[in-house]
């Protein structure tokens, strides 16, 4: 039985906040079990999260999520904004027009919203008699299992604390080293580090690796400091500062894709079983315990997508989907080739008209929303996939999904297009390799390899890696003693057919192939967890005392977890697993039937 008497939560961002919210929702049961909760945060400000912290982000950085997409806490984001004064809204870079729940606002505003919710939830928990301790500026650097019901946390000051249960809810972590003398930054965070010094400007091209949302944060922050935006005939225009005529931002993207734009959604909050039920999914599991990703697409995705494309009046795609030989890869290829995925700013111009029509006239784009729901569902059942399907998903599907679903706000698109019209931004396709030897020359040299194999060398005085956090392998896990003692192990997926291993060696490292007595497995990203996010030790036993809900740590087994809705769902699963254990003496991770019952019974999933 899990011992919840003395809990530690590592990290105080959104995952922690939603975890505390769900504890509070079940407080009648949990207040007799939980005596103390300790929250550790490496930053000074608790209850914000890295993307929303004013010490990390910039006033010009816009979120990509609206109020009606944020799972509700004590108060909705929109209602919180409506309570603020005009002066405070301006401080958060919000024009004091009527607040719209479908609008997106600055990330700093969300950070202060989260902090207020965090404080209110903690106050409510304390009022029930549970002690809550907050440890700010206290980064946890190690965790060690000492004995039963005793697990020790060590912080950066080498101070140790003992707990009965720990939930790892840390966020982003960039371990790669910056080389500021060479103008190379391994990440844009905190974004102030890439700003020009006072009274200085970058009168030269600036490169970024990645043309996704982090890259656009760099774009908005630097462009506002190197020129002025104004509206001319209702169109945003950018004018460079006269002292920086050569300023330009070059976005490097391997495929030359720009992400899709914001679109109207009929149901902004995702649901696991919106388009099918658990019985339909369970019927797809074969005798070996696998669910084929093609079966998932054909049996569960196809009917939902046909309906969605019919509602969008895209009958050519409906016709393709009605062909039984039209598979998942065929679908991705078809949609990637359609006009809205043109990999240029000219394509974004065309799409902007569609996006504005969708958002401002409240016209949903059904197929995008449906696809997001379907992949959200697949994410929470991905332990059913064989290694072959994990490889297929990461090679063929994930980049397509992230460009479709990582919706760029309309306002951000307007900024990009204003820069494009002013010849102050460019997009360059090709695989980028950074020369570490060039760091000694006070510049950063990159080699860009195009699809045809041709190469180009480019030297930058400032180059920022905006490709996102790298996947976390076992050796990169931030708590070394857990690895050394075998308290955690690498995530793996078993091959469905052993003969497939040799065929797939071109895509995988032979060192990642694990031979067992009766099967062959593939080492995938991150650590092993069960369906209630308990970590798994080297003996294959779940640790009742140690949960990990950090998406980068669990990316291998939960490859489509992202954003605030996944933070909410993941933390809810953890708390509901406690309730099932306490009330019904049930281990929800024991069988897929138990797990899917939990998914079906909770509307917030």
């Amino acid at each position: 039985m899990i011992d919840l008497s003395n809990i530690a939560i590592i990290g105080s961002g959104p995952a922690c906040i939603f975890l505390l919210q769900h504890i509070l929702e079940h407080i009648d049961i949990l207040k007799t079990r939980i005596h103390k909760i300790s929250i550790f945060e490496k930053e000074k400000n608790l209850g914000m999260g890295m993307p929303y912290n004013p010490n990390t982000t910039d006033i010009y950085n816009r979120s990509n999520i609206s109020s009606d997409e944020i799972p509700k806490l004590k108060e909705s984001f929109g209602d919180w904004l409506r309570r603020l004064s005009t002066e405070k809204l301006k401080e958060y870079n919000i024009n004091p027009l009527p607040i719209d729940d479908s609008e997106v606002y600055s990330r700093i505003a969300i950070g202060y919203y989260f902090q207020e919710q965090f404080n209110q939830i903690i106050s409510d928990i304390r009022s029930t008699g549970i002690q809550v301790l907050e440890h700010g500026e206290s980064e946890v650097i190690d965790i060690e299992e000492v004995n039963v019901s005793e697990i020790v946390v060590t912080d950066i000051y080498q101070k140790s604390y003992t707990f009965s249960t720990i939930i790892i809810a840390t966020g982003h972590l960039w371990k790669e080293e910056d080389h500021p003398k060479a103008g190379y930054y391994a990440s844009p965070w905190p974004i102030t580090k890439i700003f020009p010094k006072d009274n200085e400007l970058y009168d030269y091209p600036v490169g970024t690796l990645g043309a996704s949302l982090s890259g656009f944060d760099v774009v908005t922050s630097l462009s506002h400091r190197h020129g002025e935006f104004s509206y001319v005939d209702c169109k945003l225009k950018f004018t460079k500062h006269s002292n920086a005529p050569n300023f330009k931002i070059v976005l490097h993207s391997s495929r030359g894709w720009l992400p899709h734009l914001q679109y109207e959604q009929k149901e902004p909050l995702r649901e696991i079983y919106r388009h099918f039920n658990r019985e339909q999914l369970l019927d797809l599991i074969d005798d070996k315990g696998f669910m084929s990703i093609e079966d998932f697409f054909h049996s569960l995705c196809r009917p939902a997508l046909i309906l969605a494309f019919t509602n969008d009046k895209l009958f050519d795609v409906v016709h393709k989907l009605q062909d039984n030989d039209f598979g998942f890869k065929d679908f991705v290829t078809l949609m990637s080739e359609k006009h809205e995925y043109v990999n240029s700013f000219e394509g974004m111009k065309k799409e902007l008209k569609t996006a504005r029509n969708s958002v401002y006239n409240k016209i949903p784009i059904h197929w995008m929303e449906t696809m997001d729901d379907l992949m959200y569902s697949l994410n929470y059942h991905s332990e059913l996939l064989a290694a072959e399907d994990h490889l297929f998903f990461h090679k063929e599907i994930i980049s397509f999904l992230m460009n479709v679903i990582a919706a760029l706000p309309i306002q951000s698109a307007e900024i990009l297009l204003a820069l494009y019209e002013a010849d102050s931004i460019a997009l360059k396709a090709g695989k980028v390799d950074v020369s570490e030897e060039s760091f000694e020359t006070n510049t950063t040299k990159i080699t860009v390899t195009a699809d045809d194999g041709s190469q180009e060398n480019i030297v930058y005085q400032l180059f920022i890696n905006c490709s996102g956090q790298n996947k976390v392998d076992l050796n990169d896990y931030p708590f070394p003693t857990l690895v050394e003692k075998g308290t955690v192990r690498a995530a793996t997926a078993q091959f469905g057919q052993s003969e497939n291993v040799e065929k797939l060696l071109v895509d995988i490292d032979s060192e990642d192939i694990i031979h067992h007595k009766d099967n062959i497995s593939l080492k995938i990203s991150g650590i092993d967890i069960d369906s209630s996010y308990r970590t798994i030790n080297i003996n294959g036993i779940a640790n009742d005392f140690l949960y990990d809900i950090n998406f980068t740590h669990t990316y291998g087994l939960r490859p489509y977890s992202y954003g605030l809705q996944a933070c909410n769902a993941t933390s809810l699963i953890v708390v509901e697993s406690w309730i099932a254990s306490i009330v019904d003496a049930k281990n929800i991770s024991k069988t897929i039937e138990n797990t899917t019952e939990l998914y079906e019974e909770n509307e917030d999933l």
Side-chain angles (χ1 to χ4, degrees):
M1 177 70 71
I2 183 172
D3 182 354
L4 299 173
S5 60
N6 186 12
I7 293 175
I9 304 173
I10 314 301
S12 72
C16 168
I17 296 169
F18 285 111
L19 182 71
L20 293 170
Q21 169 77 359
H22 294 306
I23 288 174
L24 185 60
E25 290 168 351
H26 293 85
I27 200 68
D28 287 345
I29 296 171
L30 294 176
K31 67 183 179 182
T32 61
R33 303 286 181 141
I34 300 175
H35 302 148
K36 183 168 69 171
I37 300 173
S38 299
I39 303 166
F40 291 84
E41 170 57 56
K42 68 178 181 178
E43 301 293 339
K44 181 178 181 179
N45 294 323
L46 278 77
M48 285 186 162
M50 188 283 293
Y52 313 107
N53 195 313
N55 294 330
T56 306
T57 190
D58 181 28
I59 194 69
Y60 298 113
N61 297 156
R62 188 178 294 272
S63 70
N64 68 323
I65 189 167
S66 60
S67 177
D68 54 15
E69 294 176 277
I70 300 176
K72 191 172 181 179
L73 294 164
K74 300 291 289 182
E75 181 180 27
S76 75
F77 180 46
D79 287 345
W80 181 81
L81 287 173
R82 279 183 275 270
R83 286 199 293 104
L84 300 183
S85 66
T86 299
E87 291 73 22
K88 184 61 71 173
L89 289 173
K90 288 181 179 179
E91 186 180 322
Y92 297 155
N93 197 26
I94 296 175
N95 190 327
L97 295 172
I99 298 298
D100 186 343
D101 287 338
S102 63
E103 182 62 270
V104 292
Y105 297 104
S106 66
R107 286 218 235 106
I108 282 179
I110 292 183
Y112 283 109
Y113 159 72
F114 276 142
Q115 188 175 58
E116 185 170 316
Q117 305 309 300
F118 174 80
N119 290 333
Q120 288 181 8
I121 293 168
I122 284 179
S123 177
D124 288 350
I125 291 175
R126 284 173 174 153
S127 70
T128 69
I130 296 174
Q131 185 180 13
V132 181
L133 303 179
E134 301 173 52
H135 300 271
E137 295 183 293
S138 185
E139 181 179 0
V140 172
I141 60 172
D142 208 1
I143 301 173
E144 180 181 5
E145 178 191 5
V146 177
N147 51 49
V148 177
S149 294
E150 280 196 0
I151 184 164
V152 174
V153 160
T154 303
D155 69 11
I156 197 168
Y157 307 108
Q158 296 299 318
K159 189 172 182 179
S160 296
Y161 308 80
T162 301
F163 301 98
S164 63
T165 297
I166 290 179
I167 303 97
I168 297 168
T170 50
H172 302 280
L173 176 66
W174 284 273
K175 288 191 172 183
E176 292 79 8
E177 187 178 351
D178 291 338
H179 295 273
K181 289 184 178 180
Y184 176 82
Y185 292 92
S187 85
W189 314 115
I191 204 161
T192 52
K193 70 184 179 183
I194 68 168
F195 293 170
K197 296 178 181 178
D198 290 344
N199 301 317
E200 293 183 8
L201 294 173
Y202 299 141
D203 189 24
Y204 47 77
V206 175
T208 75
L209 177 57
S212 60
L213 299 178
S214 294
F216 298 140
D217 288 336
V218 171
V219 168
T220 55
S221 291
L222 292 185
S223 61
H224 277 90
R225 288 167 173 80
H226 287 81
E228 294 183 357
F229 290 93
S230 60
Y231 280 95
V232 178
D233 296 329
C234 298
K235 184 178 180 181
L236 193 64
K237 181 180 178 181
F238 178 71
T239 304
K240 289 183 193 178
H241 284 323
S242 57
N243 292 336
N246 298 307
F247 170 75
K248 188 172 188 174
I249 299 175
V250 182
L251 307 171
H252 288 269
S253 168
S254 59
R255 299 197 182 190
W257 282 359
L258 292 172
H260 247 293
L261 301 186
Q262 177 187 2
Y263 61 93
E264 180 69 13
Q265 301 179 70
K266 184 180 178 181
E267 300 286 349
L269 295 177
R270 302 277 75 85
E271 289 182 14
I272 291 178
Y273 293 139
R274 173 167 284 144
H275 299 287
F276 54 85
N277 59 47
R278 62 182 289 269
E279 287 78 12
Q280 289 174 289
L281 185 133
L282 293 174
D283 285 344
L284 298 180
I285 301 175
D286 64 21
D287 293 340
K288 294 182 178 181
F290 296 120
M291 176 185 68
S292 160
I293 200 169
E294 272 307 314
D295 288 345
F296 179 81
F297 177 78
H298 282 282
S299 298
L300 303 182
C301 298
R302 184 195 302 273
L305 289 171
I306 287 174
L307 178 60
F309 279 107
T310 299
N311 289 334
D312 291 330
K313 296 181 171 54
L314 295 173
F315 299 111
D316 59 326
V317 185
V318 172
H319 178 71
K320 292 283 188 182
L321 285 166
Q322 289 171 336
D323 181 353
N324 289 331
D325 293 329
F326 186 77
F328 203 170
K329 185 175 180 179
D330 298 320
F331 172 76
V332 170
T333 301
L334 173 68
M335 298 313 298
S336 297
E337 291 175 350
K338 290 184 75 67
H339 68 278
E340 58 257 42
Y341 292 101
V342 174
N343 59 348
S344 68
F345 294 97
E346 293 296 330
M348 181 173 280
K349 280 184 185 179
K350 296 177 182 178
E351 190 181 354
L352 184 57
K353 296 178 182 178
T354 303
R356 283 173 173 157
N357 184 50
S358 171
V359 173
Y360 297 150
N361 295 314
K362 306 296 183 184
I363 301 172
I365 299 181
H366 298 88
W367 82 264
M368 292 185 188
E369 182 178 345
T370 299
M371 192 67 188
D372 195 14
D373 268 325
L374 292 166
M375 295 302 100
Y376 184 78
S377 175
L378 179 63
N379 176 70
Y380 288 100
H381 300 88
S382 59
E383 65 266 38
L384 296 172
L385 300 180
E388 297 93 324
D389 282 337
H390 277 278
L391 289 171
F392 171 78
F393 185 85
H394 284 279
K395 181 180 179 181
E396 305 290 348
I397 308 300
I398 194 65
S399 60
F400 165 74
L401 293 174
M402 296 315 295
N403 279 278
V404 172
I405 304 305
L408 186 71
I410 288 174
Q411 297 89 338
S412 298
E414 291 173 341
I415 289 174
L416 288 174
L417 292 175
L419 292 167
Y420 174 68
E421 293 292 339
D423 193 28
S424 297
I425 196 166
L427 174 67
K428 195 170 187 64
K431 182 179 180 296
V432 171
D433 290 302
V434 178
S435 170
E436 295 188 7
E437 294 178 0
S438 69
F439 296 158
E440 303 298 324
T441 66
N442 293 338
T443 56
T444 298
K445 177 183 175 182
I446 68 169
T447 301
V448 182
T449 305
D451 286 342
D452 62 5
S454 61
Q455 292 187 330
E456 178 184 6
N457 294 322
I458 306 174
V459 175
Y460 284 105
Q461 290 178 250
L462 178 60
F463 188 81
I464 305 123
N465 189 336
C466 302
S467 60
Q469 184 172 333
N470 292 332
K471 65 180 183 180
V472 174
D473 290 320
L474 192 62
N475 291 336
D476 302 317
Y477 198 62
F479 310 112
T481 301
L482 292 177
V483 177
E484 293 168 8
K485 290 194 170 183
T487 310
V488 297
R489 69 178 185 181
T492 60
Q494 184 179 330
F495 280 93
Q497 303 291 334
S498 58
E499 57 267 26
N500 287 335
V501 176
E502 188 171 343
K503 299 176 187 176
L504 294 168
L505 278 177
V506 66
D507 297 317
I508 54 180
D509 191 323
S510 60
E511 294 181 358
D512 291 334
I513 303 297
I514 303 170
H515 292 267
H516 305 283
K517 181 178 180 181
D518 300 320
N519 59 68
I520 305 175
S521 294
L522 172 70
K523 187 185 296 183
I524 55 180
S525 171
I527 62 163
D528 201 5
I529 55 168
D530 68 10
S531 57
S532 57
Y533 291 84
R534 295 183 299 177
T535 56
I536 308 292
N537 68 24
I538 56 172
N539 297 315
I541 299 171
N543 298 311
D544 278 334
F545 53 82
L546 183 63
Y547 294 73
D548 196 325
I549 57 176
N550 178 312
F551 298 153
T552 57
H553 297 169
T554 60
Y555 179 69
L557 289 171
R558 290 288 181 263
Y560 198 55
S561 291
Y562 70 94
L564 300 177
Q565 295 186 22
C567 287
N568 176 61
T570 301
S571 60
L572 177 58
I573 289 168
V574 171
V575 175
E576 288 289 350
S577 74
W578 297 345
I579 300 302
S581 175
I582 293 168
V583 175
D584 301 320
K586 180 187 288 187
N587 175 6
I588 68 162
S589 299
K590 187 174 184 180
T591 67
I592 187 64
E593 287 78 13
N594 285 353
T595 302
T596 55
E597 279 181 6
L598 172 67
Y599 295 164
E600 189 174 56
E601 290 169 359
N602 285 272
E603 293 180 0
D604 289 339
L605 293 171

